[in-house]
Every structure is written in structure tokens, then in C-alpha cells.
Amino acid sequence: MATGELKENRDQPDNSDDPLVGDEPKKHRAKRGVPSGLWLRCDDCGETVFRKTVAENMSVCPVCGYHMYLSAADRIHYLLDEGTFEEWDGNLIPADPLEFFDKKAYAERVVAEQKRTGLRDAAITGTGMIRARRVAVGVTDSAFIMGSMGSVVGERLARLIERATEQNLPLVIVSGSGGGARMHEGILSLMQMAKVSAALARYDEAGGLFISVLTNPTMGGVAASFASLGDLVFAEPKALIGFAGPRTIKATIRLELPEGFQTSEFLLEHGYIDRIVKRADMKSEIARAIDYCGK
């Protein structure tokens, strides 16, 4: 009998892994999804790349070398010697002289942009060291209303240039502005182009060295004024640089545009810029240029 029972038990199917067998059903562990934000897609080559790898590479695609967006604070961090930056005129904030309203009031838009970006406006200016060489430096940031040049941006840049003139400092301005003059401030915004350019003319008369660095994008009134007035004009690879956008120009003149039109490479070939410099090399190239020019 015992032998038969054992044989009968051996013939029974093994259902120990069946979740419906036993006193309580076994609980299946929920599948873990991939956390959002770990990966991003390169706008140039289309490859999906690990966000942390991109951040460690100065926001440059590790596959194709495309230079992605970099905030003004990060640009200052990579460009200047650690711990040397001193901000100037950081207390300036935009006003709303025209009480402009489009989809929302301009005053509300400014507050929303300040909360979103952590910036007071689209430019940061100050002084710091590049390879132990003191410079006056300004950076515009396309994250804040596309880096458009309003009254505060123009005033900060003009004061930066005037201090560089008084202190006989080399001047470096990194442009990342795709918005040109800020329409929300009307003629007051357009006046900033002339004001900053006039300050640069006085700086030039005093013998100053102005290095302009163009990044993606540098468009509109910024490209048409101070960004193109450098004694040396550097640009990051594949940056979009120009006044009106390619689609606007094509629609206006109704002609096919040349390949690579308004990119750094096209403009270097046609003499608009002096050199294309990779982001990782920018600090050393600027220091070398300052030494070469005896500043």
C-alpha cells in the first residue's frame, strides 16, 4: 500500500509553481519600467543617448559630436576657472513699460520664465579668470524667452563693456540668442542694439580685445549687432547663425538655399567667422587668443 501511494504521488504533476495552488495565490512582481528622463535623442544624428553621458561630455552628443543646448550657468562653469566668477548687475530685472499682452501679460511671462529657468533675464555678466587671465564675460541664454535682447539684457551688456573699458580687460561674450530684439518691449528693445554697439565702439577705441563666441542659435538683432562685431569671432560646430531663419528667407526670395546655409561651417567658408572651436577646446582657445593679442 505504501509503495502504491508513493507511485501514485510520483505520477502526479508538479504544480508547485502554479500561483493558484496552495493556501494563497503567489503574487506576481510588477514589471519595472524605465525611469523617464534617463535618455534623450540627438537632434542631429537621431541616436538615443544616455543623458548622464551627455552631461559629462559638456552636453555634446557622444555619437556625432553635435553641440546641444547648454545653460548660461554651465557655460560660465566650463569657460572660467573654478570659483573665480563674480556677477555684475545681477539685481537688474525687466519692467513692462508697454504693458504688453499676447497670450499672457508680459509681466506674468517674465515671472514664469524666471521661475522656470532660475534666471532674472536672458543674460549673465560679470568677471572671472580664464586660465588665470582676468576677463569681462557675458553669456546669453536661449532658455529665457529665446535669449531675446530686452532692456535688461542690453543694459547688462553695455555696463559689462564699459567696465571692461575702464579696467582694460579682455571681453568675451557668448551668444546663445535665437529671439533677436524682444518684441514685448517694442522700440526700447531695438535701441539696445545701438547702445551695445556704441559701447563696443568706445571699447575698441580704447584698444580692447573683444572675442565673440557664437553658439546655436545666434539670430536676429543679436547677430546683427554685438555678436558680429568681435575682433575675433569663434563659433561652435553646426551652430545656426544669421538674421532671419532659413525658412523665412527661402519663402521670401523663393530660391533654393545652398546646402548648410547659415551654419558655422558655411559662414567660416564665406569669411563671416574666424574659427570653429569645439566646446571642450573653447577655454584654451580663448586663453591662447588673449596671449597672442598681448592682453
Side-chain angles (χ1 to χ4, degrees):
M1 179 68 69
T3 305
E5 288 179 352
L6 288 174
K7 183 178 180 181
E8 183 177 345
N9 290 339
R10 285 197 298 266
D11 291 340
Q12 292 297 320
D14 183 6
N15 294 326
S16 61
D17 293 333
D18 191 337
L20 300 179
V21 172
D23 296 334
E24 295 182 1
K26 292 183 179 180
K27 295 181 179 179
H28 287 290
R29 186 169 61 184
K31 291 184 178 180
R32 297 176 61 186
V34 178
S36 61
L38 286 180
W39 302 86
L40 56 84
R41 185 180 297 276
C42 175
D43 292 335
D44 191 49
C45 67
E47 289 289 332
T48 300
V49 290
F50 193 34
R51 186 180 295 273
K52 185 177 180 181
T53 302
V54 174
E56 291 172 347
N57 198 32
M58 297 185 178
S59 291
V60 176
C61 175
V63 179
C64 67
Y66 179 69
H67 286 47
M68 302 180 186
Y69 164 78
L70 194 66
S71 69
D74 284 339
R75 288 193 183 278
I76 290 172
H77 171 72
Y78 290 128
L79 190 61
L80 299 182
D81 298 345
E82 186 175 357
T84 64
F85 179 66
E86 175 191 341
E87 187 175 5
W88 288 339
D89 304 306
N91 60 329
L92 297 180
I93 57 175
D96 185 16
L98 304 182
E99 298 182 355
F100 190 91
F101 188 96
D102 49 2
K103 292 183 179 179
K104 65 168 71 172
Y106 176 50
E108 295 177 9
R109 185 182 300 278
V110 167
V111 171
E113 290 291 288
Q114 289 172 338
K115 290 180 179 178
R116 185 178 64 84
T117 64
L119 299 170
R120 285 177 175 261
D121 209 309
I124 299 177
T125 58
T127 183
M129 309 286 279
I130 296 181
R131 299 271 191 250
R133 300 155 181 84
R134 181 159 295 282
V135 300
V137 62
V139 181
T140 62
D141 194 326
S142 61
F144 194 104
I145 315 182
M146 280 306 296
S148 53
M149 186 165 58
S151 299
V152 168
V153 173
E155 184 65 15
R156 284 185 179 176
L157 292 174
R159 293 187 185 186
L160 172 75
I161 298 164
E162 288 168 354
R163 284 196 179 98
T165 305
E166 294 167 1
Q167 300 179 26
N168 193 28
L169 295 175
L171 173 66
V172 179
I173 300 180
V174 183
S175 301
S177 299
R182 190 173 299 171
M183 66 175 186
H184 311 80
E185 298 182 19
I187 190 64
L188 298 175
S189 177
L190 290 171
M191 289 169 60
Q192 308 309 312
M193 297 171 60
K195 181 171 74 175
V196 175
S197 297
L200 281 173
R202 293 190 293 270
Y203 177 75
D204 181 66
E205 290 174 359
L209 171 65
F210 172 32
I211 300 175
S212 180
V213 180
L214 313 183
T215 71
N216 184 40
T218 300
M219 301 293 291
V222 171
S225 58
F226 68 86
S228 61
L229 296 178
D231 298 298
L232 293 171
V233 180
F234 295 161
E236 291 185 340
K238 297 183 180 180
L240 179 65
I241 303 165
F243 184 68
R247 286 182 296 179
T248 302
I249 295 174
K250 185 176 179 180
T252 302
I253 65 175
R254 298 182 181 181
L255 293 174
E256 199 65 33
L257 300 177
E259 185 177 354
F261 182 67
Q262 290 188 324
T263 62
S264 304
E265 291 73 15
F266 183 89
L267 296 175
L268 176 66
E269 183 180 346
H270 291 79
Y272 185 85
I273 63 176
D274 297 305
R275 182 175 296 177
I276 295 175
V277 182
K278 294 180 180 179
R279 190 171 290 166
D281 300 329
M282 189 65 72
K283 184 174 183 176
S284 296
E285 285 296 312
I286 291 176
R288 187 178 295 113
I290 292 172
D291 288 347
Y292 183 81
C293 296
K295 292 296 179 180

